[in-house]
Amino acid sequence: MAIALGMVMVALATGSILMAQGDRNSAVQRRELGGSILIGDGAVSRILLRLSQGNNSILLTRTYDPINPKTGVNYLGADSAPNSGDEGSVAIDQWTGFDLSNTPCYQQIGRAAPDLALSGTLANGEPYTIRAYRYDKQKQLGTLLVEGRYQNQLSLMAVTLSIEPVLENFPGVTLIAYGPESGKAVLRGRSILGLNNGNVYYSPLSSDESSLTGISAPGDTNRPQYLKALWASPADTIKPGKLEGKLFACSLAPDIPLVPQGPDLVSITTSKTLTGSPSGIQSYQIGRIELSGSDTLTVDTTAGPVYLYINAASESGAIVLRDSAKIRNIRTDKQTPRIGDLRLFVTGQDAAYTRLYNRSCIQNAFLYAPFDDLQLLTSGPGCPGGKDTNFEGVAWVEELYSSKNDSSNRKVTTLDMSEMNKVIGPGATSGVFVPEDVSSLNDVLEYTDWPVRYRYGSIKEWRRVN
């Protein structure tokens, strides 16, 4: 009995020791796990701070999703959710080596190349690693996956962010240079209005002041030089217009995919109404648009966006509006029409110009004509609303030309400018207005080398991943 009692006591003692050791091991594991979670959270905060810097913010709209060596597939996958089953076996790396710091407009503002490190340590020497980042263009969300390590424990933190561009210095009027004679503006008294977005980006090599490489804001001492470069100096107009935005002597090269789609309407030569669709973007192909008198192409975008692909192949132009003809983006729900909901893509080349005569108007539209001109031969304003304008929206075109508004204006002879060198609108100052809200064009920013800066607007989710 004594021996039996002794054995029981030994068993109880051994059990107590083992339980104590287990509790100790669990405590150590809990401490290390808690430490790794703290490291992961701290690393996320540091990385978000780095991504908010101008040179690194461009990475917020690009994807980095390498292969997880333990699983043989991506960390996040197309749905940006770890362990959801849609992970692929092809690594995606749009971060490494991405650098636009050598392009003119980036150099102009001194924007450096991204320098975000994929791994690092916090102050106590504990390591962390960026495992993946996925950007969802449709939802404008970014998901960041960060691993924190504390001694023998790892923790993965997934953070989902809303991504939005900072639209300061937005290119409301972009003159696209594909050669030595393109990328210029010849304003000769025309106005470009828009206090925040009426900015002009042009090619200095094609201007009348090829040595300029900087920026000019209204009131700057260098303003006269920049006005001369755009044929907008006092020597070019008897009645000067207004240039309310900044002038950037740097050439942008947007490259939006031009893939004509939708039903073919052949040509539009009389009043017509087109409507959007609640199921998505409604596209149409059009040979050319030529309207006169009071004819109006009305595009109702209440239900959804409308994209028009104008495939002009003749020398008669892609869009020609005379008299008081108009192309208008409207809504019937009392909401303000969004510029990005009506897009005019001129896919023809050489002679596929957009030409406005008399008191015609294009209103609330995005005009993209990378190989052709926007020509203002108007005699006065034509857009409803009372502004001194014939085009209201955003224009990314090869050149912007206007007719003289006085016989003493300088001539332009680099192209066949016979009609533009006529005094069609004596004293006319009507031109372009770029509205304040251009957020509906956020998606096209990825197709240009404009030095956009992105930021995360809010944190949608911050969680630990098993």
Side-chain angles (χ1 to χ4, degrees), residues 5 32 59 69 98 156 227 240 260 271 298 375 383 399 403 430 434 448:
L5 287 173
E32 291 180 354
L59 300 179
F98 179 69
L156 282 172
L227 294 176
S271 290
T298 303
Q375 301 175 358
C383 292
E399 289 109 2
S403 63
S430 58
V434 184
T448 183

Side-chain angles (χ1 to χ4, degrees), residues 34-51:
S36 67
I37 293 174
L38 290 175
I39 297 301
D41 285 339
V44 167
S45 298
R46 171 179 289 186
I47 293 164
L48 292 183
L49 178 62
R50 295 283 288 157
L51 283 171

Side-chain angles (χ1 to χ4, degrees), residues 32 45 110 118 151 198 416:
E32 291 180 354
S45 298
L118 295 176
Q151 295 184 3
D416 180 11

Side-chain angles (χ1 to χ4, degrees), residues 181-200:
E181 297 298 336
S182 58
K184 71 169 62 177
V186 178
L187 298 179
R188 295 192 286 200
R190 301 289 175 166
S191 298
I192 298 181
L193 308 176
L195 293 175
N196 290 329
N197 299 319
N199 306 303
V200 180

Side-chain angles (χ1 to χ4, degrees), residues 78-93:
D79 64 357
S80 302
N83 308 319
S84 66
D86 76 333
E87 297 81 7
S89 57
V90 178
I92 302 175
D93 185 359

Side-chain angles (χ1 to χ4, degrees), residues 132-458:
Y133 177 83
R134 277 271 181 169
Y135 177 63
D136 187 325
K137 182 169 62 174
Q138 299 301 321
K139 298 179 180 179
Q140 295 185 316
L141 296 176
T143 299
L144 177 68
L145 187 66
V146 177
E147 178 186 278
R149 177 188 291 271
Y150 182 76
Q151 295 184 3
N152 296 316
Q153 286 289 335
L154 300 175
S155 286
L156 282 172
M157 310 304 297
V159 182
T160 300
L161 317 161
S162 66
I163 307 300
E164 57 189 34
V166 178
L167 297 178
E168 183 181 8
N169 299 328
F170 181 84
V173 176
T174 296
L175 294 317
I176 304 168
Y178 286 111
E181 297 298 336
S182 58
K184 71 169 62 177
V186 178
L187 298 179
R188 295 192 286 200
R190 301 289 175 166
S191 298
I192 298 181
L193 308 176
L195 293 175
N196 290 329
N197 299 319
N199 306 303
V200 180
Y201 287 74
Y202 71 96
S203 170
L205 296 178
S206 301
S207 74
D208 196 41
E209 287 284 349
S210 60
S211 64
L212 299 176
T213 58
I215 304 170
S216 176
D220 287 352
T221 57
N222 63 7
R223 195 69 169 181
Q225 289 178 279
Y226 283 80
L227 294 176
K228 183 175 182 292
L230 302 183
W231 279 267
S233 65
D236 295 300
T237 175
I238 189 172
K239 183 179 180 182
K242 294 180 180 179
L243 297 183
E244 294 184 330
K246 297 178 182 178
L247 308 179
F248 292 80
C250 68
S251 179
L252 293 173
D255 189 21
I256 301 174
L258 290 176
V259 183
Q261 50 194 296
D264 192 345
L265 302 181
V266 188
S267 294
I268 295 178
T269 57
T270 59
S271 290
K272 191 177 185 65
T273 298
L274 302 175
T275 58
S277 170
S279 61
I281 297 169
Q282 178 64 59
S283 299
Y284 296 96
Q285 298 184 62
I286 302 171
R288 64 193 302 265
I289 301 172
E290 184 169 9
L291 301 173
S292 59
S294 59
D295 286 342
T296 299
L297 171 58
T298 303
V299 183
D300 185 346
T301 59
T302 307
V306 176
Y307 292 1
L308 305 182
Y309 294 87
I310 301 104
N311 311 318
S314 68
E315 294 187 1
S316 53
I319 302 173
V320 179
L321 304 183
R322 300 178 185 274
D323 305 318
S324 60
K326 297 176 177 59
I327 298 175
R328 296 189 65 198
N329 172 11
I330 69 162
R331 291 181 66 128
T332 57
D333 57 357
K334 298 183 180 181
Q335 298 296 313
T336 302
R338 306 190 327 152
I339 294 172
D341 285 351
L342 173 57
R343 304 189 184 189
L344 308 175
F345 295 115
V346 178
T347 63
Q349 297 190 19
D350 298 330
Y353 50 77
T354 297
R355 183 175 289 179
L356 307 181
Y357 288 97
N358 309 114
R359 290 179 177 268
S360 55
C361 170
I362 297 177
Q363 189 176 41
N364 300 321
F366 171 56
L367 174 63
Y368 181 62
F371 308 109
D372 290 286
D373 316 333
L374 170 59
Q375 301 175 358
L376 300 175
L377 288 82
T378 49
S379 57
C383 292
K387 297 183 180 66
D388 191 20
T389 56
N390 301 107
F391 180 91
E392 296 186 1
V394 171
W396 290 5
V397 297
E398 187 176 11
E399 289 109 2
L400 172 60
Y401 289 115
S402 74
S403 63
K404 291 183 175 186
N405 70 353
D406 185 75
S407 58
S408 64
N409 293 165
R410 288 181 292 164
K411 290 186 177 181
V412 180
T413 57
T414 54
L415 296 172
D416 180 11
M417 297 294 292
S418 57
E419 193 160 11
M420 262 61 72
N421 281 326
K422 297 177 182 178
V423 184
I424 296 177
T429 62
S430 58
V432 175
F433 168 65
V434 184
E436 298 303 295
D437 183 8
V438 293
S439 60
S440 55
L441 291 172
N442 287 351
D443 61 301
V444 302
L445 297 179
E446 67 173 298
Y447 299 110
T448 183
D449 51 345
W450 177 56
V452 59
R453 176 179 176 180
Y454 290 92
R455 65 185 176 192
Y456 57 92
S458 62

